[in-house]
Amino acid sequence: MYQIILFFFIFILNACSTHQDQNLFYEKELFSKKCDQDFFKKQLQAINKNDDIIFKGLNTAYIARDCKDFNLSNTIFDQVENSYKYDVDLQNITHKSVDFISSTLINDGINDYQGAWYERTMVNVYKGLNFMSLKDFSNARVEFNRALARQEIAKEYFASQIQQMRKKAEKEENFKQNIDQNLKIIARQYSNLFKEFHAQKNYTNAYVTYISSVFFFMDHDYQKASDLFKEVYAAYNNDKEIQKEFEMFDRYSKALNPQKLKKHIFIIYENGLSPRLDEFSLTLPFIFDQHIVTASVTLPTLKKRKESFAYLNIFDGKNMNQTVKIFDFDEVVASEFKEELNAKIIKSLISSLFKTSLNMAVAKNDQSGILTFATDIFTTVTTRSDLRIWNFLPKNIQILMINNDGFIKIQDENNNLIYSNSLDQNKDILILVRSFNPLISSEIYKIEN
Amino acid sequence: MKNLFLAASYIFLVFFLVACGSPIYTDGYASQKKQGDALTLGLDREDFEKTAQKMIESMLKDPAFANISQGQRKVIAIGKIINDTPQRIDTNKLISKITIALRKSGKFILTTAVAAGGAQDDMSEAVRELRNNEEFNQNTISKKGTLVAPDFSLSGKIRQDTVKLKNGDIQAEYFFHLTLTDLNSGLAYWEDEKTIDKTGTSKSVTW
């Protein structure tokens, strides 16, 4: 009996976790730049034991990439991809139902993290960049093809998801009262958030398309690079930098001998950190047996984080240029968050409905008051939001393309030196600068072909 | 309690999914004529073996090569074979079967001394570096001008498209395109494209 109580107690304690402590743990490890082998060993052990593979894997693989251990990073990202396929997509109905019921009746934190669509595409982007750093362009091509394929799947996914949830909710009158009315109340809480984020209308993460086209260009597949770049141009055709790069991509795709044309340097600056998750609580009215009762609902919300350097100054030996902010990752995160929100709110309302009706049923029949006390504690500790998210993606991405004249100097907005080097003028070069904040040294990824 | 029942029903509805079967080969057209069971929606050994066989038949039947006699065997070098799919595949699976069959036909012979990305076997080059090495009998070392340059280069690309079908399934379409280029003239003496179509669940990615 005690074992059952102990198991239940541990289960509940686990459920009430928002996992924010884990977010902070990984953040501390990344920012420390220690590249501690013991950290990787322990994380790999957990991942190999099937312990929250996606969440642990995304964070650990990213830290390995930041440590320039590209092979380790890709090994872990591979495990994350496998988990997306076998533990999420192809999970059997029974398992899926158990997960859904447990997360609805308790909270999302009880199950393994399943991740967001933009995270899936970024897994393949970083794997592709890792392979490029390893000079393995064949495997990098596979990864960028995967990123583009995932992008297409995500577009289809969002087209129908919300409509399905709404149709089901609208079928029943009580649901209409308990869910629809409360949805409106909650939506008002989020309206300011989305005013701040200006969530995008479509769900194409244009950075994925941009960096894929840069890869195909560097792999001398100028036709494919140009075709892909047209998609980026269609979305950002008012931007001078995109116009300039589009014209160059187009020119190379039409050239008789493009490999003999001038070589270029692509500078990509991944700036700051994308939004983190936080939670807030609301007390809402529910109708039970023609009585109105109030219950607490906890929901996640997005919190913007600061950028690092506002821009980078790029000196090619003759001219100084600034990187141009094109891709706003805050908006990519907010768009998907917004689309998933109705489903999350409905799930949270159902959870509150269940817990409140359980409390009421127990209170009616419990003379001693002990069970009532227990169900109240259950409700209090489990009404939490799951705050797991891949915390290390950039806030925005800035780009600049210049002719490769054999030299580059990169400085921050205050002209502090970040990187300076002579370059091989016979190669196309990608220099990716990653800066989390101005106090942490930037990582430079120089890739040439 | 009515609300509890409704909540349970709702949860059940959310996860009421239609079970999907194993992937199958189809003709790739709207008729979706079944052409047997497939192991996976990705590319497997059977796909490479079948495609290699069809490509060899196509090449050997081509009028450009039909009249090559045993004494006039043409030398082929392996050019760039691009895997432009999201599948992590070894293109050698396709090429090795083709080169083995071409050599067996008596019309072609493969050079391993020249290939895109470097020689398949760099020993041809390595033994020549032993010239003037007193430890080796210089009469047994290959003479200058003995390596044979290729007549043709075999290059190609494997592509993949994924098409969503009306029933919610997906059709994975694989295109194997190979070209044999005459290195003297730069003309493509032979080229062919073979397609493999597989239909299966859209619940996950094809790789």
Side-chain angles (χ1 to χ4, degrees):
Chain A
M1 183 65 188
Y2 286 115
Q3 283 174 323
I4 295 169
I5 293 169
L6 185 67
F7 172 77
F8 189 70
F9 185 69
I10 293 168
F11 186 73
I12 296 298
L13 273 183
N14 188 36
C16 55
S17 166
T18 61
H19 299 281
Q20 194 68 294
D21 55 334
Q22 288 193 59
N23 285 330
L24 294 172
F25 166 71
Y26 288 117
E27 203 171 280
K28 198 177 160 192
E29 189 62 36
L30 178 73
F31 292 172
S32 76
K33 302 265 178 188
K34 282 192 297 189
C35 301
D36 179 5
Q37 291 307 306
D38 195 45
F39 161 78
F40 290 121
K41 196 175 156 190
K42 281 180 183 162
Q43 292 301 308
L44 277 170
Q45 279 170 354
I47 290 165
N48 291 334
K49 282 181 189 164
N50 210 358
D51 176 9
D52 208 358
I53 295 176
I54 295 172
F55 182 66
K56 286 188 163 68
L58 289 175
N59 288 296
T60 310
Y62 193 92
I63 294 168
R65 172 173 162 73
D66 197 64
C67 292
K68 309 266 175 89
D69 191 341
F70 302 115
N71 280 315
L72 176 64
S73 177
N74 274 358
T75 304
I76 303 169
F77 275 138
D78 276 346
Q79 282 173 286
V80 172
E81 268 212 286
N82 279 340
S83 190
Y84 282 140
K85 180 158 190 169
Y86 296 106
D87 301 333
V88 182
D89 296 347
L90 300 178
Q91 192 184 46
N92 66 46
I93 293 172
T94 314
H95 202 153
K96 225 170 215 175
S97 305
V98 169
D99 276 4
F100 184 80
I101 292 165
S102 62
S103 65
T104 306
L105 301 189
I106 299 168
N107 71 30
D108 282 327
I110 200 75
N111 296 318
D112 281 356
Y113 182 63
Q114 301 202 340
W117 287 98
Y118 65 84
E119 291 179 349
R120 290 188 185 209
T121 55
M122 289 306 289
V123 163
N124 294 111
V125 165
Y126 285 128
K127 277 170 79 182
L129 288 168
N130 284 345
F131 277 124
M132 285 175 87
S133 290
L134 292 166
K135 300 185 188 305
D136 182 352
F137 274 56
S138 299
N139 273 316
R141 178 178 279 262
V142 169
E143 295 304 332
F144 285 110
N145 278 332
R146 286 183 182 187
L148 294 166
R150 284 196 189 279
Q151 186 108 300
E152 290 303 313
I153 296 169
K155 277 187 215 167
E156 278 178 24
Y157 173 82
F158 287 117
S160 61
Q161 201 219 16
I162 290 302
Q163 212 170 350
Q164 281 175 7
M165 291 299 290
R166 182 153 278 283
K167 272 181 190 169
K168 281 174 184 135
E170 280 169 356
K171 276 181 184 169
E172 218 282 327
E173 194 57 31
N174 272 352
F175 257 86
K176 207 165 184 176
Q177 286 187 359
N178 278 334
I179 305 288
D180 248 18
Q181 294 303 317
N182 285 329
L183 258 177
K184 283 175 192 164
I185 297 170
I186 294 168
R188 282 200 290 273
Q189 301 287 320
Y190 280 102
S191 60
N192 283 337
L193 175 77
F194 292 117
K195 267 181 207 161
E196 190 189 354
F197 276 97
H198 308 291
Q200 290 172 338
K201 279 179 188 163
N202 63 49
Y203 298 89
T204 308
N205 178 0
Y207 177 55
V208 174
T209 318
Y210 174 78
I211 200 156
S212 300
S213 47
V214 169
F215 162 77
F216 288 112
F217 184 90
M218 290 186 65
D219 200 27
H220 314 305
D221 193 342
Y222 301 106
Q223 193 60 54
K224 187 162 180 173
S226 173
D227 285 345
L228 275 173
F229 207 94
K230 282 174 192 160
E231 286 180 34
V232 183
Y233 180 67
Y236 298 92
N237 55 11
N238 289 328
D239 187 275
K240 281 183 182 170
E241 178 63 27
I242 292 290
Q243 264 176 19
K244 180 182 81 182
E245 294 191 24
F246 172 70
E247 282 163 16
M248 193 275 288
F249 274 62
D250 189 49
R251 194 166 63 249
Y252 275 61
S253 72
K254 289 171 181 164
L256 274 179
N257 205 343
Q259 288 204 50
K260 289 194 174 170
L261 294 176
K262 182 86 186 157
K263 300 296 176 188
H264 292 84
I265 307 168
F266 297 92
I267 296 113
I268 295 179
Y269 167 39
E270 291 191 351
N271 179 13
L273 290 162
S274 56
R276 66 180 173 81
L277 284 175
D278 206 345
E279 65 174 354
F280 72 95
S281 294
L282 276 176
T283 303
L284 296 169
F286 290 92
I287 302 163
F288 285 100
D289 299 331
Q290 295 177 331
H291 295 290
I292 292 175
V293 288
T294 56
S296 182
V297 176
T298 308
L299 289 159
T301 187
L302 287 175
K303 292 278 180 194
K304 273 190 179 181
R305 289 189 283 183
K306 287 180 182 171
E307 63 180 1
S308 183
F309 310 116
Y311 56 85
L312 300 180
N313 284 316
I314 312 293
F315 183 63
D316 62 3
K318 293 174 197 158
N319 303 306
M320 185 79 91
N321 290 291
Q322 284 178 4
T323 52
V324 184
K325 182 177 144 186
I326 306 281
F327 309 106
D328 191 336
F329 227 88
D330 276 355
E331 287 195 12
V332 172
V333 176
S335 295
E336 185 160 340
F337 182 81
K338 193 176 180 183
E339 279 309 302
E340 299 281 3
L341 197 57
N342 263 16
K344 275 186 186 149
I345 294 171
I346 289 169
K347 204 170 167 189
S348 194
L349 290 173
I350 291 169
S351 184
S352 285
L353 265 170
F354 164 75
K355 288 168 190 168
T356 311
S357 57
L358 177 76
N359 288 351
M360 286 179 67
V362 168
K364 270 185 191 172
N365 301 297
D366 178 29
Q367 301 296 326
S368 67
I370 295 169
L371 277 174
T372 309
F373 179 66
T375 52
D376 281 347
I377 288 180
F378 170 81
T379 304
T380 307
V381 298
T382 60
T383 307
R384 303 299 302 270
S385 289
D386 179 13
L387 302 182
R388 284 172 294 183
I389 189 169
W390 193 7
N391 257 320
F392 303 147
L393 297 175
K395 181 180 178 65
N396 63 57
I397 290 125
Q398 306 186 13
I399 60 170
L400 185 73
M401 184 196 70
I402 54 173
N403 285 336
N404 182 358
D405 291 326
F407 177 75
I408 192 160
K409 186 158 80 173
I410 302 175
Q411 298 169 321
D412 66 20
E413 75 259 48
N414 297 317
N415 287 328
N416 297 310
L417 183 68
I418 294 176
Y419 177 77
S420 173
N421 213 342
S422 296
L423 302 171
D424 185 345
Q425 281 182 267
N426 299 314
K427 289 178 175 173
D428 286 313
I429 295 172
L430 166 65
I431 296 178
L432 194 148
V433 182
R434 182 68 179 107
S435 178
F436 302 113
N437 71 52
L439 301 176
I440 299 171
S441 60
S442 307
E443 287 299 330
I444 308 291
Y445 303 85
K446 180 185 156 213
I447 299 164
E448 53 187 25
N449 195 31
Chain B
M1 288 308 284
K2 194 182 172 189
N3 278 310
L4 261 180
F5 174 75
L6 288 168
S9 309
Y10 176 74
I11 290 160
F12 181 76
L13 267 175
V14 168
F15 282 100
F16 186 75
L17 300 169
V18 179
C20 299
S22 300
I24 54 164
Y25 288 101
T26 71
D27 60 356
Y29 297 105
S31 53
Q32 285 288 297
K33 277 182 195 158
K34 188 180 172 180
Q35 295 181 336
D37 293 325
L39 188 65
T40 162
L41 268 180
L43 288 170
D44 56 60
R45 198 179 85 180
E46 186 182 351
D47 301 323
F48 288 107
E49 285 179 357
K50 277 184 180 171
T51 309
Q53 190 55 43
K54 284 179 188 170
M55 286 290 190
I56 295 156
E57 285 167 12
S58 164
M59 197 188 298
L60 295 176
K61 273 185 196 168
D62 196 282
F65 307 116
N67 299 321
I68 298 174
S69 63
Q70 282 280 355
Q72 296 174 314
R73 286 196 299 180
K74 300 293 182 189
V75 180
I76 288 186
I78 303 301
K80 203 170 181 182
I81 311 290
I82 297 169
N83 168 22
D84 200 13
T85 72
Q87 317 283 333
R88 217 174 271 174
I89 49 177
D90 179 4
T91 52
N92 275 337
K93 283 181 188 170
L94 176 72
I95 297 307
S96 61
K97 285 183 176 57
I98 292 174
T99 53
I100 291 166
L102 288 177
R103 190 182 53 76
K104 282 183 179 170
S105 74
K107 296 180 177 182
F108 297 95
I109 192 159
L110 177 77
T111 172
T112 59
V114 185
Q120 277 188 313
D121 184 348
D122 50 17
M123 286 305 285
S124 305
E125 200 64 43
V127 293
R128 283 162 172 80
E129 286 172 13
L130 299 175
R131 284 177 191 146
N132 303 324
N133 185 331
E134 290 174 1
E135 296 297 324
F136 286 86
N137 179 349
Q138 294 297 305
N139 292 327
T140 63
I141 291 176
S142 308
K143 299 284 179 290
K144 282 186 177 176
T146 48
L147 283 176
V148 178
D151 301 301
F152 291 97
S153 163
L154 181 66
S155 61
K157 197 177 214 182
I158 307 170
R159 291 186 294 113
Q160 177 183 342
D161 281 344
T162 305
V163 180
K164 187 97 186 237
L165 303 177
K166 274 184 187 171
N167 64 2
D169 281 353
I170 50 168
Q171 176 170 291
E173 301 172 344
Y174 298 97
F175 304 90
F176 294 78
H177 187 269
L178 288 179
T179 307
L180 201 61
T181 306
D182 174 25
L183 293 172
N184 278 321
S185 63
L187 300 174
Y189 270 42
W190 169 86
E191 68 174 332
D192 205 349
E193 184 170 87
K194 300 293 173 198
T195 313
I196 288 177
D197 299 289
K198 297 180 180 190
T199 299
T201 173
S202 59
K203 277 159 72 179
S204 191
V205 289
T206 56
W207 55 89

